[in-house]
Amino acid sequence: MTDYTKVFQDAGAVDKYEHVTYAPDSYATRINERQQEYLRALVAGEFGDRRPVHHDFACGTGRAIRTLHGLVREAHGYDTSAEMMAKAAEVGSQAAWHQVAVDGPVPDPVDAGRPVVVTMFRLLLNVDDTVRDRALAFAAKALPTADAGVLVVENHGNASSVRHLRARRHAGERWFAELSHEQVAELLGRHGFEVTERRGFSMLTPSLHGNPLARAADAAARRLPGADSYAVNVLYTARRTRG
């Protein structure tokens, strides 16, 4: 079991995650609001009237599920933490909840038909390669072909971002996790996925979030071509290219 998984077996940690990390106007909340707008537009544009089934792996407190309320036919949340899913239901996330084991065979997505949208938020950065591969193998089961639907994954520690400048201290010791665009693409490729779009949502680190000038500069920078290359927080949309 990873430390990340252990933390969220505690109801107090879950409550703090939902109400402190995602407090109004917090760094995480501002990014989440931008992601919500993007994800709703993506699903509406991709599927139109063919409302997809939503599978949210590592669903946590159900933010991605709440984002897509009204745009999907049904939603299924999968998580190792029963406490997280209980909080998700408490705060109004509408889904069927499925607790999965922390290791062992790749979980099976509920067979609820197609098309499908699979989401994975705040997972890849926090776990090791074994867990990442298991998660992507789950996505491959849910999306066996290119026309089955789309996968959206988050990297909230892009190694090409400004955050990287603070990633090492004390004679080169890294003190938080990072993933490069190339690492994410390679991980997706191992499971038969190809990135079709990449979108950045903040150039700032949390320490700069309260600075009005920095926030204004961030808003301008995010409009520039290629800004996603240097964003701290990035979403990757991918489609299956091979079985």
Side-chain angles (χ1 to χ4, degrees), residues 136-169:
L136 267 296
F138 169 90
K141 284 187 174 185
L143 295 163
T145 60
D147 61 0
V150 295
L151 167 66
V152 182
V153 300
E154 180 187 37
N155 173 13
H156 60 291
N158 170 27
S160 300
S161 71
V162 174
R163 180 179 184 264
H164 176 76
L165 299 177
R166 299 180 62 241
R168 293 183 181 277
R169 65 180 180 182

Side-chain angles (χ1 to χ4, degrees), residues 1 3 16 41 48 58 64 102-103 110 117 122 124 139 177 193 226 229 240:
M1 182 183 295
D3 290 341
K16 180 179 179 181
V102 298
D103 52 22
V110 172
V117 56
R122 298 185 75 89
L124 299 185
F193 289 97
S229 296
R240 196 77 186 277

Side-chain angles (χ1 to χ4, degrees), residues 140 143-146 186 188-194 239-243:
L143 295 163
T145 60
E186 194 275 332
L188 292 168
R190 287 205 301 268
H191 297 274
F193 289 97
E194 181 179 32
R239 192 179 292 276
R240 196 77 186 277
T241 59
R242 58 175 173 79

Side-chain angles (χ1 to χ4, degrees), residues 3 15 19 33 40 52 64-65 69 86 97 100-101 115-116 126 137 157 159 168 176 180 185 202 208 219 224 229 231:
D3 290 341
D15 194 67
H19 298 295
E33 289 169 349
R40 286 187 67 85
I65 287 169
H69 280 174
W97 308 106
V100 297
V116 165
N126 297 315
R168 293 183 181 277
F176 52 67
S180 69
S202 180
L208 292 171
L224 298 175
S229 296

